[in-house]
Amino acid sequence: MFEPAGSAADRSPVHHGSASPETIAMGGSVTPLRRHPEWIKARLPSGENYHDLKGLLRGLNLNTVCEEAHCPNIGECWDQRTATIMILGDTCTRACGFCAVKTGRPTWFDDDEPRRVAEAVGAMRLEHVVVTSVARDDLPDGGSRIFAETILAMRATSPGMGIEVLIPDFDGSDDRLRTVMDARPDILNHNLETVKRLQKPVRKRARWDRSLYVLRRAKEMAVEIGYAVHTKSSLMVGLGETRDELTDAFEALRAVDVDILTVGQYLRPSEKHLPLQRYYHPDEFADMKVEALALGFKHVESAPLVRSSYHARDQVPGAELKALRRRQATLDAQGRVVPAAS
């Protein structure tokens, strides 16, 4: 169990905010949104796969972080039959200053959700799925049991699919994390989000050391269980961090043996969220990718519109072989993709 420095009185309480916080997390007045530079351009959602997945998700009453967090890559990812399912409802018990997901006191819980998610994923014929959740500090186990049951249910219905989970910090509980790891996800993702200095205003109740602890223990638990897991984390830029601070964050993640890193531009969801300090040029993202790969990350995605789940199917173990089979695939009489034989 992670034990933070300081007494219990020093720790922040659970925040049950309203859907629209009255003030931005850093304090001060509401400031207007800025116009994006010309390199911030997302692909408009379109294509048969996109509309197919959208209809299936609506019919099965499932939430996706792609929609709830206003992800700019929804069109590209859904067209590649990669989706990020958000379990445990759509209301988060934390009020992070960067996040578009609504906050408040959750009232929703469904023990049948793992079955419904597995059914939906099977119907969508996904190649890779990312399962994440809102933070549920109101639940005794933080939602870890539902994570595990969802992984196991999806393994039963879609055995060849890559499974990634993007988890909250579970308050640093080894028991909660072990519940998830026992279900053997291919990728265990937990986001550090920002540099050490900006953790408190950006992430509210989360902690830098606790997040690094979760990522380290995930790797250790996988060894104890007897399987190989890839760990992953994500950072936003544009919140006022320095390049030296970003280097420190890269090094801290490698120190706990994180395999996969994603780096993307913070885009302010509304005037009530943290103000954007600056835009990074695509060349700066390219430089950060070179730096991170030199530190030993196995896979790095670094570009303005990169988000935690961007190109997730290409990061799962065995992704290169699966990509080769996609390129060699054929179509059946109904126009459906038939992958090459194993």
Side-chain angles (χ1 to χ4, degrees), residues 53-255:
L53 294 193
K54 186 173 183 177
L56 284 166
L57 288 164
R58 291 287 181 275
L60 292 163
N61 193 30
L62 292 176
N63 299 307
T64 69
V65 76
C66 320
E67 297 169 294
E68 297 292 335
H70 306 163
C71 181
N73 303 310
I74 185 171
E76 180 179 355
C77 292
W78 284 19
D79 195 45
Q80 293 176 351
R81 303 202 81 82
T82 300
T84 302
I85 306 295
M86 190 165 71
I87 60 175
L88 295 166
D90 63 356
T91 303
C92 187
T93 53
R94 303 185 184 184
C96 295
F98 66 92
C99 187
V101 175
K102 70 180 180 181
T103 64
R105 192 178 299 275
T107 59
W108 189 90
F109 186 80
D110 180 9
D111 259 326
D112 191 46
E113 188 170 40
R115 181 198 61 78
R116 291 192 299 105
V117 170
E119 177 185 331
V121 165
M124 289 187 284
R125 307 188 306 281
L126 296 182
E127 296 182 11
H128 184 85
V129 68
V130 181
V131 176
T132 188
S133 77
V134 291
R136 290 298 300 266
D137 299 300
D138 58 309
L139 297 176
D141 69 347
S144 59
R145 176 178 63 84
I146 295 297
F147 262 106
E149 291 179 2
T150 301
I151 295 168
L152 295 173
M154 292 189 301
R155 285 275 187 240
T157 58
S158 305
M161 180 183 64
I163 297 178
E164 174 179 338
V165 290
L166 170 54
I167 61 169
D169 61 22
F170 293 134
D171 283 329
S173 165
D174 275 13
D175 288 343
R176 297 176 185 183
L177 180 60
R178 183 62 184 244
T179 297
V180 176
M181 295 307 298
D182 278 338
R184 302 192 175 204
D186 296 305
I187 298 178
L188 188 289
N189 185 352
H190 175 65
N191 289 339
L192 197 56
E193 303 291 9
T194 189
V195 299
K196 188 172 185 178
R197 176 175 57 86
L198 297 176
Q199 288 287 308
K200 188 172 182 179
V202 173
R203 300 179 72 204
K204 304 297 271 189
R205 193 169 181 265
R207 298 290 181 271
W208 168 274
D209 290 339
R210 188 162 67 200
S211 288
L212 292 173
Y213 175 84
V214 167
L215 289 161
R216 175 174 65 81
R217 287 295 292 137
K219 268 291 181 71
E220 292 170 350
M221 288 179 185
V223 172
E224 294 165 6
I225 294 166
Y227 90 107
V229 70
H230 280 46
T231 50
K232 176 179 174 181
S233 196
S234 184
L235 291 163
M236 298 174 290
V237 298
L239 286 162
E241 69 290 322
T242 67
R243 282 290 283 111
D244 285 344
E245 287 177 315
L246 285 168
T247 295
D248 289 344
F250 296 168
E251 292 175 345
L253 290 168
R254 282 300 301 135

